Amino acid sequence: MHRILMIESAARGVLTVNGQFCGPLEGEGQAFPAAENAEVYIQLSPFSPQTRPLTVAMELEGGAIKRLEPQENAFALLWPDGIIQLELRPVGEGTAEGEQAAQEQAASGALLRYLTLRLAGQGDAARLLLMRPQDEVNLPEYDAVVPLRFAPLAASERFDDRAGLVRREAPNVARVYAALAVTAPAGQGRRLIERVEVMA
């Protein structure tokens, strides 16, 4: 599997990776190839004088993140397609608006709504979203739900809905698992979730 490190930042600035100047880091972030085992040192020099410079150390072992410091300023999400999404949060810049937008985006789609309701502890999620109780699967424990950006290549058939189950591996590191659903029209614009499959 090819691994890609996608570095994003809550603050605009100039990026340096392992001593190499990489230019400005702005909205879309920057992508780099990542080895299975590596040490990566990242420095961000923000444009804003109100934001402090940030240095991050990340150690990869077997494709997983063994160490990511400082925990309060660097957060990683490991996607099933090999992308490591690394978000830098320098002191002085807030991310409340971005987090709110992500939560609003995660509310679309039958499977996403179902998983979000389950995460919120609403026991009637299956009834509200017309999931047949006999087809409900025992999903693994998860901490959040995110939109899944791709259809996994390992999927054996076409699924109607897809979502990402986020499981925290460390205070600032989490992994996304693909949750796929087969759905059927149920009238009035609603869909019945007939089957759910979770893939690593």
Side-chain angles (χ1 to χ4, degrees):
M1 176 187 293
H2 296 289
R3 288 179 178 81
I4 296 175
L5 175 62
M6 175 63 73
I7 302 176
E8 304 169 358
S9 174
R12 295 172 61 244
V14 175
L15 183 68
T16 302
V17 178
N18 285 348
Q20 294 287 323
F21 176 73
C22 299
L25 183 61
E26 299 185 287
E28 295 181 358
Q30 289 196 34
F32 304 87
E36 191 172 353
N37 302 294
E39 289 185 5
V40 183
Y41 297 95
I42 301 159
Q43 292 178 304
L44 179 68
S45 301
F47 293 139
S48 170
Q50 286 81 31
T51 306
R52 292 188 216 159
L54 176 63
T55 300
V56 172
M58 182 175 70
E59 185 177 350
L60 298 174
E61 186 176 277
I65 296 179
K66 182 179 179 183
R67 177 174 64 102
L68 180 60
E69 299 175 338
Q71 288 189 353
E72 61 274 11
N73 300 107
F75 299 84
L77 201 58
L78 289 78
W79 291 86
D81 55 352
I83 292 179
I84 301 171
Q85 187 176 353
L86 177 63
E87 182 184 348
L88 309 179
R89 295 186 189 175
V91 175
E93 289 284 339
T95 58
E97 292 182 6
E99 289 176 354
Q100 183 176 358
Q103 290 174 0
E104 290 174 359
Q105 183 184 7
S108 63
L111 180 59
L112 281 169
R113 289 197 308 272
Y114 168 71
L115 293 172
T116 303
L117 285 169
R118 280 196 54 164
L119 183 64
Q122 298 188 24
D124 57 353
R127 180 182 62 80
L128 290 173
L129 293 170
L130 303 179
M131 183 170 185
R132 299 190 309 199
Q134 66 269 27
D135 294 326
E136 187 172 353
V137 296
N138 292 322
L139 294 169
E141 292 183 11
Y142 54 92
D143 298 300
V145 183
V146 295
L148 201 60
R149 306 168 312 185
F150 67 99
L153 296 176
S156 58
E157 61 183 277
R158 181 182 177 278
F159 289 84
D160 302 297
D161 268 305
R162 57 186 63 92
L165 298 181
V166 179
R167 298 175 68 180
R168 193 178 299 274
E169 297 183 346
N172 61 336
V173 177
R175 185 178 297 275
V176 179
Y177 294 83
L180 309 173
V182 175
T183 68
Q188 299 180 344
R190 304 178 74 183
R191 297 190 74 83
L192 171 69
I193 300 176
E194 294 187 333
R195 183 165 66 86
V196 176
E197 181 176 324
V198 178
M199 302 173 61

